Coordinates of all heavy atoms in Angstrom, one line a residue:
T1 N 0.8 -1.2 0.0 CA 0.0 0.0 0.0 C 0.8 1.2 0.0 O 2.0 1.3 0.6 CB -0.9 0.1 1.2 OG1 -0.2 0.1 2.4 CG2 -1.9 -1.2 1.2
R2 N 0.4 2.3 -0.6 CA 1.1 3.5 -0.8 C 0.8 4.4 0.5 O -0.3 4.5 0.9 CB 0.6 4.2 -2.0 CG 1.2 5.6 -2.3 CD 2.5 5.5 -3.2 NE 2.8 6.8 -3.5 CZ 4.0 7.4 -3.1 NH1 4.8 6.7 -2.3 NH2 4.3 8.6 -3.5
A3 N 1.9 5.0 1.0 CA 1.7 5.9 2.2 C 1.1 7.1 1.7 O 1.3 7.6 0.6 CB 3.1 6.1 2.8
S4 N 0.3 7.7 2.7 CA -0.3 9.0 2.3 C 0.7 10.2 2.3 O 1.8 10.0 2.9 CB -1.4 9.3 3.2 OG -0.9 9.7 4.6
A5 N 0.3 11.4 1.8 CA 1.3 12.4 1.9 C 1.6 12.9 3.3 O 2.8 13.1 3.7 CB 0.7 13.6 1.1
A6 N 0.7 12.7 4.2 CA 0.9 13.0 5.6 C 1.8 12.0 6.3 O 2.7 12.4 7.0 CB -0.4 13.0 6.3
D7 N 1.6 10.8 5.9 CA 2.5 9.7 6.4 C 3.9 10.0 6.0 O 4.9 9.8 6.7 CB 2.1 8.3 5.9 CG 0.8 7.9 6.6 OD1 0.4 8.4 7.6 OD2 0.2 6.9 6.0
E8 N 4.2 10.3 4.7 CA 5.4 10.5 4.2 C 6.2 11.7 4.9 O 7.3 11.7 5.2 CB 5.4 10.8 2.6 CG 5.1 9.4 1.9 CD 5.1 9.6 0.4 OE1 5.6 10.6 -0.2 OE2 4.6 8.8 -0.3
R9 N 5.4 12.8 5.0 CA 5.9 14.0 5.8 C 6.3 13.6 7.1 O 7.4 14.1 7.6 CB 4.9 15.1 5.8 CG 4.8 15.9 4.5 CD 4.0 17.2 4.6 NE 2.7 17.0 5.3 CZ 1.5 16.7 4.7 NH1 1.5 16.6 3.4 NH2 0.4 16.6 5.4
F10 N 5.5 12.8 7.8 CA 5.8 12.4 9.2 C 7.1 11.6 9.2 O 8.0 11.8 10.0 CB 4.7 11.6 9.9 CG 5.1 11.0 11.2 CD1 5.1 11.8 12.2 CD2 5.4 9.7 11.3 CE1 5.4 11.3 13.5 CE2 5.8 9.2 12.4 CZ 5.8 10.0 13.6
L11 N 7.2 10.6 8.3 CA 8.5 9.8 8.3 C 9.7 10.6 7.9 O 10.7 10.3 8.5 CB 8.2 8.6 7.3 CG 7.4 7.5 7.7 CD1 7.2 6.5 6.6 CD2 7.8 6.8 9.0
R12 N 9.6 11.5 7.1 CA 10.7 12.4 6.7 C 11.1 13.3 7.9 O 12.4 13.4 8.2 CB 10.4 13.3 5.5 CG 10.3 12.5 4.2 CD 10.1 13.5 3.0 NE 9.8 12.7 1.9 CZ 10.7 12.0 1.1 NH1 11.9 12.0 1.5 NH2 10.3 11.3 0.1
A13 N 10.2 13.8 8.7 CA 10.5 14.6 9.8 C 11.1 13.7 10.9 O 12.1 14.1 11.6 CB 9.3 15.3 10.4
L14 N 10.6 12.5 11.1 CA 11.1 11.6 12.1 C 12.6 11.1 11.7 O 13.5 11.1 12.5 CB 10.2 10.3 12.2 CG 10.6 9.2 13.2 CD1 10.8 9.7 14.6 CD2 9.7 8.1 13.2
A15 N 12.8 10.9 10.4 CA 14.1 10.5 9.9 C 15.1 11.6 10.1 O 16.2 11.3 10.5 CB 14.0 10.2 8.4
D16 N 14.6 12.8 10.0 CA 15.6 13.9 10.3 C 16.0 13.9 11.8 O 17.1 14.2 12.1 CB 14.9 15.3 10.0 CG 14.7 15.6 8.5 OD1 15.4 15.0 7.7 OD2 13.9 16.4 8.2
R17 N 15.1 13.6 12.6 CA 15.5 13.6 14.1 C 16.3 12.3 14.4 O 17.3 12.4 15.2 CB 14.2 13.6 14.9 CG 13.5 15.0 14.8 CD 12.4 15.1 15.8 NE 12.1 16.6 15.8 CZ 10.8 16.9 15.6 NH1 9.8 16.0 15.4 NH2 10.5 18.2 15.6
V18 N 15.9 11.1 13.9 CA 16.6 10.0 14.2 C 18.1 10.0 13.7 O 19.0 9.6 14.3 CB 15.9 8.7 13.6 CG1 16.8 7.4 13.7 CG2 14.6 8.5 14.4
D19 N 18.2 10.6 12.5 CA 19.5 10.7 11.8 C 20.5 11.5 12.7 O 21.6 11.2 12.8 CB 19.3 11.4 10.5 CG 20.7 11.6 9.8 OD1 21.4 10.7 9.7 OD2 21.0 12.8 9.5
V20 N 20.1 12.5 13.4 CA 21.0 13.4 14.2 C 21.6 12.4 15.3 O 22.7 12.4 15.5 CB 20.3 14.6 14.8 CG1 21.2 15.3 15.9 CG2 19.9 15.5 13.7
G21 N 20.7 11.7 16.0 CA 21.2 10.7 17.0 C 22.1 9.6 16.4 O 23.1 9.3 17.0
A22 N 21.7 9.0 15.3 CA 22.5 8.0 14.7 C 23.8 8.5 14.2 O 24.8 7.8 14.4 CB 21.7 7.4 13.5
A23 N 23.9 9.7 13.7 CA 25.2 10.3 13.2 C 26.1 10.6 14.4 O 27.3 10.3 14.4 CB 24.9 11.6 12.5
S24 N 25.5 11.0 15.6 CA 26.3 11.2 16.7 C 26.8 9.9 17.3 O 28.1 9.9 17.5 CB 25.4 11.9 17.8 OG 24.9 13.1 17.4
V25 N 26.1 8.9 17.4 CA 26.6 7.6 17.8 C 27.6 7.1 16.8 O 28.6 6.6 17.3 CB 25.4 6.6 18.1 CG1 25.9 5.2 18.3 CG2 24.5 7.1 19.2
G26 N 27.3 7.1 15.6 CA 28.2 6.7 14.6 C 29.5 7.3 14.5 O 30.5 6.6 14.3
A27 N 29.6 8.6 14.9 CA 30.9 9.3 14.8 C 31.8 8.8 16.0 O 32.9 8.8 15.9 CB 30.6 10.8 15.0
V28 N 31.2 8.4 17.1 CA 31.9 8.0 18.2 C 32.3 6.4 18.1 O 33.4 5.9 18.4 CB 31.2 8.2 19.5 CG1 32.0 7.6 20.7 CG2 31.0 9.7 19.7
L29 N 31.3 5.7 17.7 CA 31.4 4.1 17.8 C 31.7 3.5 16.4 O 32.1 2.4 16.4 CB 30.1 3.6 18.4 CG 29.8 4.0 19.8 CD1 28.4 3.4 20.2 CD2 30.9 3.6 20.8
D30 N 31.4 4.1 15.3 CA 31.5 3.6 14.0 C 31.0 2.2 14.0 O 31.7 1.2 13.7 CB 33.0 3.6 13.6 CG 33.2 3.2 12.1 OD1 32.1 3.1 11.3 OD2 34.3 2.9 11.7
P31 N 29.6 2.0 14.2 CA 29.1 0.7 14.3 C 28.9 -0.1 13.1 O 28.8 -1.3 13.2 CB 27.7 1.0 15.0 CG 27.3 2.3 14.4 CD 28.6 3.1 14.3
G32 N 28.9 0.5 11.9 CA 28.7 -0.2 10.7 C 27.3 -0.5 10.4 O 26.8 -0.6 9.2
C33 N 26.4 -0.7 11.4 CA 25.0 -1.0 11.3 C 24.2 -0.3 12.4 O 24.6 -0.5 13.6 CB 24.8 -2.4 11.2 SG 23.0 -2.8 10.9
V34 N 23.2 0.4 12.1 CA 22.3 0.9 13.1 C 20.9 0.3 12.9 O 20.4 0.2 11.8 CB 22.1 2.4 12.9 CG1 21.0 3.0 13.8 CG2 23.4 3.1 13.2
V35 N 20.3 -0.3 14.0 CA 19.1 -0.9 13.9 C 18.0 0.0 14.6 O 18.2 0.3 15.8 CB 19.1 -2.3 14.6 CG1 17.7 -3.0 14.6 CG2 20.2 -3.2 14.0
L36 N 17.1 0.3 13.9 CA 15.9 1.1 14.4 C 15.0 0.1 15.1 O 14.3 -0.6 14.4 CB 15.2 1.8 13.3 CG 16.0 2.8 12.4 CD1 15.3 3.4 11.4 CD2 16.7 3.8 13.3
G37 N 15.0 0.0 16.4 CA 14.2 -1.0 17.1 C 13.0 -0.4 17.8 O 12.6 0.7 17.6
G38 N 12.3 -1.4 18.4 CA 11.1 -1.0 19.2 C 10.0 -0.6 18.2 O 10.0 -1.0 17.0
E39 N 9.0 0.1 18.8 CA 7.8 0.4 18.1 C 8.2 1.4 16.9 O 7.5 1.3 15.8 CB 6.8 1.1 19.0 CG 6.3 0.2 20.0 CD 5.7 -1.2 19.5 OE1 5.0 -1.1 18.5 OE2 6.1 -2.2 20.1
V40 N 9.1 2.3 17.0 CA 9.5 3.2 16.0 C 10.0 2.5 14.7 O 9.6 2.7 13.6 CB 10.5 4.2 16.5 CG1 11.1 5.1 15.3 CG2 9.9 5.2 17.6
G41 N 10.9 1.6 15.0 CA 11.5 0.8 14.0 C 10.4 -0.1 13.2 O 10.5 -0.2 12.1
R42 N 9.6 -0.7 14.0 CA 8.6 -1.5 13.5 C 7.5 -0.7 12.7 O 7.1 -1.1 11.6 CB 7.9 -2.3 14.6 CG 7.4 -3.7 14.0 CD 7.1 -4.6 15.1 NE 5.9 -4.1 15.8 CZ 5.5 -4.6 17.0 NH1 6.1 -5.5 17.6 NH2 4.4 -4.1 17.6
A43 N 7.2 0.4 13.2 CA 6.2 1.2 12.5 C 6.7 1.9 11.3 O 6.0 1.9 10.2 CB 5.6 2.3 13.5
G44 N 8.0 2.4 11.3 CA 8.5 3.1 10.2 C 9.0 2.1 9.2 O 9.1 2.5 8.0
G45 N 9.4 0.9 9.7 CA 10.0 -0.2 8.8 C 11.1 0.3 7.8 O 11.9 1.1 8.1
A46 N 11.0 -0.4 6.6 CA 12.1 -0.2 5.7 C 12.1 1.1 5.1 O 13.2 1.7 4.7 CB 12.0 -1.2 4.6
V47 N 10.9 1.8 5.1 CA 10.9 3.2 4.5 C 11.6 4.1 5.4 O 12.4 4.9 4.9 CB 9.4 3.6 4.4 CG1 9.3 5.1 4.0 CG2 8.6 2.8 3.4
L48 N 11.4 4.1 6.7 CA 12.1 4.9 7.7 C 13.6 4.6 7.7 O 14.5 5.5 7.7 CB 11.6 4.8 9.1 CG 12.2 5.6 10.1 CD1 12.2 7.1 9.8 CD2 11.6 5.3 11.6
A49 N 14.0 3.3 7.6 CA 15.3 3.0 7.5 C 16.1 3.4 6.4 O 17.1 4.0 6.4 CB 15.5 1.4 7.7
G50 N 15.4 3.5 5.2 CA 15.9 4.0 4.0 C 16.2 5.5 4.1 O 17.2 6.1 3.6
L51 N 15.1 6.2 4.7 CA 15.3 7.7 4.8 C 16.4 8.0 5.8 O 17.3 8.9 5.5 CB 14.0 8.2 5.3 CG 12.8 8.3 4.4 CD1 11.5 8.6 5.1 CD2 13.1 9.1 3.2
V52 N 16.6 7.3 6.9 CA 17.6 7.6 7.8 C 19.0 7.3 7.2 O 19.9 8.0 7.3 CB 17.4 6.7 9.2 CG1 18.7 6.9 10.0 CG2 16.2 7.3 9.8
G53 N 19.0 6.1 6.5 CA 20.2 5.8 5.8 C 20.7 6.8 4.7 O 21.9 7.1 4.6
E54 N 19.7 7.4 3.9 CA 20.1 8.4 3.0 C 20.6 9.6 3.7 O 21.6 10.2 3.2 CB 18.8 8.7 2.3 CG 18.8 9.8 1.3 CD 17.3 10.0 0.7 OE1 16.7 9.1 0.3 OE2 16.8 11.2 0.9
R55 N 20.0 10.0 4.8 CA 20.5 11.1 5.5 C 21.9 11.0 6.1 O 22.8 11.8 6.2 CB 19.5 11.6 6.5 CG 18.3 12.3 5.9 CD 17.1 12.2 6.9 NE 16.0 13.0 6.3 CZ 15.2 12.6 5.4 NH1 15.4 11.5 4.7 NH2 14.2 13.5 5.0
L56 N 22.1 9.8 6.6 CA 23.4 9.5 7.2 C 24.5 9.5 6.2 O 25.6 10.0 6.5 CB 23.4 8.0 7.9 CG 22.9 7.9 9.3 CD1 23.0 6.5 9.8 CD2 23.9 8.7 10.2
R57 N 24.2 9.0 5.0 CA 25.2 9.0 3.9 C 25.6 10.5 3.6 O 26.7 10.8 3.2 CB 24.7 8.3 2.7 CG 24.8 6.8 2.8 CD 24.5 6.1 1.5 NE 23.1 6.2 1.1 CZ 22.1 5.5 1.7 NH1 22.4 4.6 2.6 NH2 20.8 5.7 1.2
R58 N 24.7 11.4 3.7 CA 25.0 12.8 3.4 C 25.7 13.5 4.6 O 26.5 14.4 4.3 CB 23.7 13.6 3.1 CG 23.1 13.3 1.7 CD 22.0 14.2 1.5 NE 20.8 13.6 2.2 CZ 19.6 14.1 2.2 NH1 19.4 15.2 1.5 NH2 18.7 13.5 2.9
M59 N 25.5 13.1 5.8 CA 26.1 13.7 7.0 C 27.4 13.2 7.3 O 28.2 13.8 8.0 CB 25.1 13.6 8.2 CG 23.9 14.4 8.2 SD 23.0 14.2 9.7 CE 24.0 15.1 10.9
S60 N 27.7 11.9 7.1 CA 28.8 11.3 7.6 C 29.7 10.5 6.6 O 29.1 9.9 5.6 CB 28.4 10.2 8.7 OG 29.5 9.5 9.2
P61 N 31.0 10.6 6.7 CA 31.8 9.8 5.7 C 31.8 8.4 6.0 O 32.3 7.6 5.3 CB 33.2 10.5 5.9 CG 33.2 11.0 7.3 CD 31.7 11.4 7.6
L62 N 31.4 8.0 7.2 CA 31.4 6.6 7.6 C 30.2 5.8 7.0 O 29.1 6.3 6.9 CB 31.3 6.4 9.1 CG 32.3 7.3 9.9 CD1 32.0 7.2 11.3 CD2 33.7 6.6 9.7
A63 N 30.6 4.6 6.4 CA 29.5 3.8 5.8 C 28.7 3.1 6.9 O 29.3 2.3 7.6 CB 30.1 2.8 4.9
T64 N 27.5 3.4 7.1 CA 26.6 2.9 8.1 C 25.3 2.4 7.5 O 24.6 3.1 6.9 CB 26.3 3.9 9.2 OG1 27.6 4.4 9.7 CG2 25.5 3.3 10.3
E65 N 25.1 1.0 7.6 CA 23.9 0.5 7.1 C 22.8 0.8 8.2 O 23.1 0.8 9.4 CB 24.1 -1.0 7.0 CG 22.8 -1.8 6.5 CD 23.1 -3.2 6.4 OE1 24.2 -3.7 6.6 OE2 22.2 -3.9 5.9
V66 N 21.6 1.0 7.8 CA 20.4 1.3 8.7 C 19.3 0.2 8.3 O 19.0 0.0 7.2 CB 19.9 2.6 8.5 CG1 18.7 2.9 9.4 CG2 20.9 3.7 8.7
R67 N 18.9 -0.5 9.4 CA 17.9 -1.5 9.2 C 16.8 -1.3 10.2 O 17.0 -0.8 11.3 CB 18.4 -2.9 9.5 CG 19.5 -3.4 8.5 CD 19.9 -4.7 8.9 NE 21.0 -5.2 8.1 CZ 21.7 -6.3 8.3 NH1 21.3 -7.2 9.2 NH2 22.7 -6.6 7.5
A68 N 15.6 -1.7 9.9 CA 14.5 -1.7 10.8 C 14.3 -3.0 11.4 O 14.4 -4.1 10.8 CB 13.2 -1.3 10.1
S69 N 14.2 -3.1 12.8 CA 14.0 -4.3 13.5 C 12.5 -4.8 13.4 O 11.6 -3.9 13.5 CB 14.4 -4.1 15.0 OG 14.0 -5.3 15.6
G70 N 12.3 -6.0 13.3 CA 11.0 -6.6 13.4 C 10.7 -7.3 14.7 O 9.6 -7.9 14.8
L71 N 11.6 -7.0 15.6 CA 11.4 -7.8 16.9 C 10.5 -7.2 17.9 O 10.1 -7.8 18.8 CB 12.8 -8.0 17.5 CG 13.8 -8.7 16.8 CD1 15.2 -8.8 17.5 CD2 13.3 -10.1 16.5
G72 N 10.2 -5.9 17.8 CA 9.3 -5.2 18.7 C 10.0 -4.7 19.9 O 11.3 -4.7 20.0
G73 N 9.3 -4.0 20.8 CA 9.8 -3.3 21.9 C 10.4 -4.0 23.0 O 11.1 -3.5 23.8
T74 N 10.1 -5.4 23.1 CA 10.7 -6.1 24.2 C 12.0 -6.9 23.8 O 12.5 -7.6 24.7 CB 9.7 -7.1 24.7 OG1 9.4 -8.0 23.7 CG2 8.4 -6.4 25.2
A75 N 12.5 -6.6 22.7 CA 13.7 -7.4 22.2 C 14.9 -7.2 23.2 O 15.6 -8.1 23.5 CB 14.1 -7.0 20.8
V76 N 15.1 -5.9 23.6 CA 16.4 -5.6 24.5 C 16.0 -6.3 25.8 O 17.0 -6.9 26.4 CB 16.5 -4.1 24.5 CG1 17.6 -3.8 25.6 CG2 16.8 -3.5 23.3
L77 N 14.9 -6.2 26.4 CA 14.6 -6.8 27.6 C 14.8 -8.3 27.6 O 15.4 -8.9 28.5 CB 13.1 -6.4 28.1 CG 12.7 -7.1 29.4 CD1 13.6 -6.7 30.5 CD2 11.3 -6.8 29.7
R78 N 14.3 -8.9 26.5 CA 14.4 -10.4 26.4 C 15.9 -10.8 26.2 O 16.3 -11.8 26.8 CB 13.7 -10.9 25.1 CG 12.1 -10.8 25.4 CD 11.3 -11.2 24.2 NE 11.5 -12.6 23.9 CZ 11.2 -13.2 22.8 NH1 10.7 -12.5 21.8 NH2 11.4 -14.5 22.7
G79 N 16.7 -10.0 25.5 CA 18.1 -10.3 25.4 C 18.8 -10.2 26.7 O 19.6 -11.0 27.1
A80 N 18.4 -9.1 27.5 CA 19.0 -9.0 28.9 C 18.7 -10.1 29.7 O 19.5 -10.6 30.5 CB 18.6 -7.6 29.4
L81 N 17.4 -10.6 29.7 CA 17.1 -11.7 30.5 C 17.8 -13.0 30.2 O 18.3 -13.8 31.0 CB 15.5 -11.9 30.4 CG 14.7 -10.9 31.1 CD1 13.2 -11.1 30.8 CD2 14.8 -10.9 32.6
L82 N 18.0 -13.2 28.8 CA 18.7 -14.4 28.4 C 20.1 -14.4 28.8 O 20.7 -15.4 29.2 CB 18.6 -14.5 26.9 CG 17.2 -15.0 26.4 CD1 17.1 -14.9 24.8 CD2 16.8 -16.4 26.8
T83 N 20.7 -13.2 28.7 CA 22.1 -13.0 29.2 C 22.2 -13.2 30.7 O 23.2 -14.0 31.1 CB 22.7 -11.6 28.9 OG1 22.6 -11.4 27.4 CG2 24.1 -11.4 29.2
A84 N 21.4 -12.7 31.4 CA 21.4 -12.9 32.9 C 21.2 -14.4 33.3 O 21.9 -14.9 34.1 CB 20.4 -12.0 33.6
R85 N 20.3 -15.0 32.6 CA 20.1 -16.4 32.8 C 21.4 -17.3 32.5 O 21.7 -18.2 33.3 CB 18.9 -17.0 32.0 CG 18.6 -18.4 32.3 CD 17.5 -19.0 31.5 NE 18.0 -19.2 30.2 CZ 17.3 -19.5 29.2 NH1 16.0 -19.8 29.3 NH2 17.8 -19.7 28.0
E86 N 22.0 -17.0 31.4 CA 23.2 -17.7 31.0 C 24.3 -17.5 32.1 O 25.0 -18.4 32.4 CB 23.7 -17.2 29.6 CG 24.8 -17.9 29.1 CD 25.2 -17.5 27.7 OE1 24.4 -17.6 26.8 OE2 26.3 -16.9 27.6
R87 N 24.5 -16.3 32.5 CA 25.5 -16.0 33.6 C 25.2 -16.7 34.8 O 26.1 -17.3 35.5 CB 25.7 -14.5 33.7 CG 26.4 -13.8 32.6 CD 26.7 -12.4 32.9 NE 27.4 -11.8 31.8 CZ 27.6 -10.5 31.6 NH1 27.2 -9.7 32.5 NH2 28.2 -10.2 30.5
A88 N 23.9 -16.7 35.3 CA 23.5 -17.4 36.5 C 23.8 -18.9 36.3 O 24.3 -19.6 37.3 CB 22.0 -17.1 36.8
Q89 N 23.5 -19.5 35.2 CA 23.7 -20.9 35.0 C 25.3 -21.1 35.1 O 25.6 -22.2 35.7 CB 23.2 -21.4 33.7 CG 21.7 -21.5 33.7 CD 21.1 -21.9 32.3 OE1 21.6 -21.5 31.3 NE2 19.9 -22.5 32.3
D90 N 26.1 -20.3 34.4 CA 27.5 -20.5 34.4 C 28.0 -20.5 35.9 O 28.8 -21.2 36.3 CB 28.2 -19.4 33.6 CG 28.0 -19.6 32.1 OD1 27.6 -20.7 31.8 OD2 28.3 -18.7 31.4
E91 N 27.5 -19.5 36.7 CA 27.9 -19.4 38.1 C 27.4 -20.6 38.9 O 28.2 -21.1 39.8 CB 27.3 -18.1 38.7 CG 27.9 -16.9 38.3 CD 29.3 -16.6 38.8 OE1 29.7 -17.0 39.9 OE2 30.1 -16.2 38.0
L92 N 26.3 -21.1 38.7 CA 25.7 -22.2 39.5 C 26.4 -23.5 39.2 O 26.6 -24.4 40.0 CB 24.2 -22.3 39.4 CG 23.4 -21.2 40.0 CD1 21.9 -21.3 39.7 CD2 23.6 -21.3 41.6
F93 N 26.6 -23.8 37.9 CA 27.0 -25.1 37.4 C 28.4 -25.2 36.9 O 28.8 -26.3 36.5 CB 26.0 -25.6 36.3 CG 24.6 -25.6 36.7 CD1 23.7 -24.7 36.2 CD2 24.2 -26.5 37.7 CE1 22.3 -24.8 36.6 CE2 22.9 -26.5 38.1 CZ 21.9 -25.7 37.5
A94 N 29.2 -24.1 37.1 CA 30.5 -24.2 36.7 C 31.4 -25.1 37.8 O 31.0 -25.1 38.9 CB 31.2 -22.8 36.7
P95 N 32.4 -25.8 37.3 CA 33.1 -26.6 38.2 C 33.9 -25.7 39.2 O 34.3 -24.6 38.9 CB 34.1 -27.4 37.4 CG 34.1 -26.8 36.1 CD 32.8 -26.0 35.9
P96 N 34.0 -26.1 40.5 CA 34.6 -25.3 41.5 C 36.1 -25.1 41.1 O 36.8 -26.0 40.5 CB 34.6 -26.1 42.8 CG 34.2 -27.5 42.4 CD 33.6 -27.4 41.0
E97 N 36.6 -23.9 41.4 CA 38.0 -23.6 41.1 C 38.9 -24.2 42.0 O 38.5 -24.3 43.2 CB 38.2 -22.0 41.0 CG 37.5 -21.4 39.9 CD 37.7 -19.9 39.9 OE1 38.8 -19.4 40.4 OE2 36.8 -19.1 39.4
R98 N 40.0 -24.6 41.6 CA 41.0 -25.4 42.5 C 42.2 -24.5 42.8 O 42.7 -23.7 42.2 CB 41.4 -26.6 42.0 CG 40.2 -27.5 41.8 CD 40.7 -28.8 41.2 NE 39.4 -29.5 40.9 CZ 39.4 -30.8 41.0 NH1 40.4 -31.5 41.3 NH2 38.3 -31.4 40.7

C-alpha cells in the first residue's frame, strides 16, 4: 500500500530527528550498522530505515547500514534476561575452582 502524503511527511521529519542521534553515535562508535528498534523501527519499517540511511550518507563519511527491526519493543529486555540467565547458569553449574 502507498503511504499518504501526511505519512510521508511524518516519516521524513522523524528520519531527520533519528539521523541526528544515529550520526552522533556513529561518529563515536563507527558501528557499521544501526538498527531502528522498538515500536518506531517496526512502525517506520524499511521506509524509515531508507530515509535515515540516506541522510546518514549525506552527513557522515562513515559507511553505516540502517535496518528496521521486526522484533518489537521487548527485544532488548528479552536479550538482557537471556544474558542474565546464562550467567547465572554459568555461576551455579561451573566446576569449582581449585
Side-chain angles (χ1 to χ4, degrees):
T1 61
R2 176 97 171 109
S4 71
D7 292 342
E8 287 181 19
R9 281 193 309 272
F10 173 77
L11 285 176
R12 289 184 189 285
L14 181 58
D16 288 338
R17 291 191 169 125
V18 171
D19 177 54
V20 171
S24 299
V25 170
V28 175
L29 300 178
D30 187 15
C33 182
V34 171
V35 177
L36 304 178
E39 298 304 318
V40 171
R42 210 166 67 194
V47 174
L48 179 60
L51 290 169
V52 172
E54 175 185 303
R55 284 159 174 74
L56 270 177
R57 283 187 290 282
R58 285 186 285 181
M59 285 183 73
S60 173
L62 303 172
T64 305
E65 180 181 0
V66 180
R67 295 182 189 176
S69 171
L71 298 177
T74 61
V76 173
L77 176 60
R78 291 179 64 196
L81 290 172
L82 290 171
T83 300
R85 183 183 72 186
E86 184 178 298
R87 287 189 180 165
Q89 285 176 332
D90 288 347
E91 288 289 322
L92 289 172
F93 301 113
E97 292 183 28
R98 295 177 190 218

